[in-house]
Amino acid sequence: MRYPEAVNLPFNATLLAGGFAPATPGIPDDGAPGLWLVIRGNALVVEVRAGLPFLPEGGTPDWLPAGLEPIRFGTWQGKPLRAVRISAKEALPAPLALEPFNATSDRLDDISLTLGGMANQILHWSGSSRCCSRCGGSLEPLPGSCGRRCPSCRTEHFPHIHPCAIVLVRRGDEFLLARKPEWPEGRYGLVAGFLDFGESLEECARREVREETGVEVANIRYVGSQCWPFPSQLMAGFVADYAGGEIRCDQNEIEDARWFCAGDMPASLPGRRSIARWIIDRFALGEEAS
């Protein structure tokens, strides 16, 4: 298996161990050449060389619009890392191209994918933490951290991480997969949803399966987690056993749900970069399926 443990999945920091060093927020940028994590929409700007995508490297690219303030968030193998977001209207000169984070192919290597995800999460927090949610005042940086402080009411704010439960339901040799209407044609994945007030992650998994498919589950087991920086989720993965009920789709969330098996699979599954695919491969189709 490409990712033997969930911790090895893209977007988890373990993939960067030994090569990544975070920068202390607020330290002035010396402008040294480095790697550029440029986000446009839900895609990473890459430089195509010999048909393969690479992160742009060097000094400030001349194709970046004037007036943007990149965030230097660390180094990769000693090279500065800078994150910046550009408008969807910005044209990209050759050999630049867009590589979507949710692409069905695995053209981006795991390191570039993980650094890009981290940049996306940092830029999201930077863009959504300008005003105090308590009094509406303008926030100021907290020295030496990613946090912000409101000078008006003194409330401190820190990056918001949103926990989600994602669950594979098994019934003998069968497993339950669901389809959202916005997904590519033929794609099915796992039931997932955000944690609600007063819930444990296991309770969230049970509720989401019930609400979206009408199915009851038992014996819920945690199997792994993944940072999912779109924009700032933490996916907690579970496997559960079918405990009763007939499939009844919640049309507000999903358009279809079915029982599948190894010999009868949907046309498309989530990308291998996701914990959804890792759970399916390992606990529905792999050595842990029994």
Side-chain angles (χ1 to χ4, degrees), residues 171-268:
R171 185 177 70 176
D173 293 334
E174 296 178 310
F175 42 90
L176 182 66
L177 300 181
R179 168 173 170 74
K180 293 189 175 184
E182 64 268 24
W183 286 354
E185 184 176 354
R187 174 170 293 182
Y188 282 74
L190 300 183
V191 172
F194 289 97
L195 196 70
D196 208 345
F197 293 119
E199 279 187 328
S200 70
L201 286 163
E202 289 82 357
E203 289 169 332
C204 176
R206 178 181 291 109
R207 174 183 56 78
E208 287 291 342
V209 174
R210 180 189 299 126
E211 289 180 352
E212 294 191 5
T213 70
V215 167
E216 297 294 333
V217 299
N219 194 23
I220 302 171
R221 291 94 69 198
Y222 170 79
V223 294
S225 65
Q226 182 185 29
C227 169
W228 195 246
F230 307 110
S232 197
Q233 282 87 265
L234 174 66
M235 307 300 295
F238 296 90
V239 173
D241 296 333
Y242 170 74
E246 297 297 324
I247 294 176
R248 186 187 68 257
C249 294
D250 174 8
Q251 296 299 325
N252 293 322
E253 294 286 340
I254 61 173
E255 68 176 21
D256 191 30
R258 303 180 193 177
W259 294 103
F260 292 91
C261 64
D264 179 23
M265 296 292 291
S268 174

Side-chain angles (χ1 to χ4, degrees), residues 20-30 70-75 81 122 141-147:
F20 173 74
T24 301
I27 298 298
D29 190 340
D30 61 7
I71 298 174
R72 178 170 172 171
F73 64 95
T75 60
L81 294 166
I122 290 169
L142 268 175
S145 81
C146 292

Side-chain angles (χ1 to χ4, degrees), residues 52-77:
L52 296 176
F54 295 89
L55 295 178
E57 186 172 350
T60 303
D62 56 12
W63 46 266
L64 276 182
L68 296 179
E69 294 187 12
I71 298 174
R72 178 170 172 171
F73 64 95
T75 60
W76 171 250
Q77 296 181 342

